[in-house]
């Protein structure tokens, strides 16, 4: 079980690294002047590759988490409300990940309507969600 936990933590950490960096690329894309075609294409390439890699990391992170939950029974029984709260936050994180994909497609099509300030705020969401997950797992308040 400790091996599964260890790999779960590594994959989740790597997944979050991508979720932290991808919106920073969006900030740069939103600030890009229309005449900077080469720079825009390079940032889009970086964003596409990062999105693909981040998605590839999310799959084992979620799979190992499910293994811990269903296979080892972590979080089952009385006094484990923290896991339900954590799973709710994980659903929010998955929604954020999906939203990043939608925003990337908007940049690719050239239909983004948001400015760089919006993306700076959007970039803060995964930090808040990560703090919630860590607090729920370590403190187990419920």
């Amino acid at each position: 079980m400790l091996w599964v936990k260890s790999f779960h933590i590594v994959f989740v950490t790597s997944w979050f690294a991508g979720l932290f960096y991808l919106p920073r690329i969006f900030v740069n894309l939103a600030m890009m002047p229309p005449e900077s075609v080469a720079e825009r294409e390079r940032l889009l390439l970086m964003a596409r590759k990062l999105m693909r890699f981040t998605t590839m990391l999310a799959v084992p992170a979620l799979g190992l988490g499910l293994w811990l939950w269903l296979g080892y029974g972590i979080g089952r029984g009385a006094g484990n409300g923290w896991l339900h709260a954590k799973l709710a936050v994980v659903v929010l994180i998955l929604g954020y990940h999906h939203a990043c994909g939608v925003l990337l497609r908007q940049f690719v099509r050239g239909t983004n309507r948001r400015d760089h300030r919006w993306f700076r705020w959007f970039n803060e969401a995964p930090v808040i969600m990560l703090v919630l997950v860590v607090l729920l797992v370590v403190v187990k308040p419920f």
Side-chain angles (χ1 to χ4, degrees), residues 13-78:
T13 304
S14 301
W15 179 28
F16 265 93
L19 292 178
F20 289 155
Y21 189 58
L22 188 58
R24 292 300 309 159
I25 296 174
F26 293 163
V27 169
N28 292 329
L29 280 165
M31 294 174 63
M32 190 68 44
E35 63 273 6
S36 300
V37 176
E39 190 174 0
R40 180 181 182 280
E41 289 305 314
R42 187 183 53 212
L43 287 170
L44 284 174
L45 177 66
M46 289 171 57
R48 278 193 217 98
K49 286 184 175 187
L50 184 58
M51 185 65 183
R52 188 176 321 116
F53 186 66
T54 301
T55 302
M56 287 177 16
L57 291 168
V59 172
L62 294 167
L64 290 169
L66 283 171
W67 187 355
L68 289 167
W69 179 36
L70 299 173
Y72 288 103
I74 292 179
R76 290 191 194 156

Side-chain angles (χ1 to χ4, degrees), residues 23 26 29 44 96 98-109 111-112 114 118-119 122:
F26 293 163
L29 280 165
L44 284 174
Y96 183 86
H98 175 73
C100 285
V102 170
L103 292 167
L104 177 56
R105 286 189 294 278
Q106 288 176 357
F107 276 114
V108 169
R109 288 190 311 259
T111 60
N112 173 55
R114 295 176 175 92
W118 187 89
F119 287 103
F122 181 75

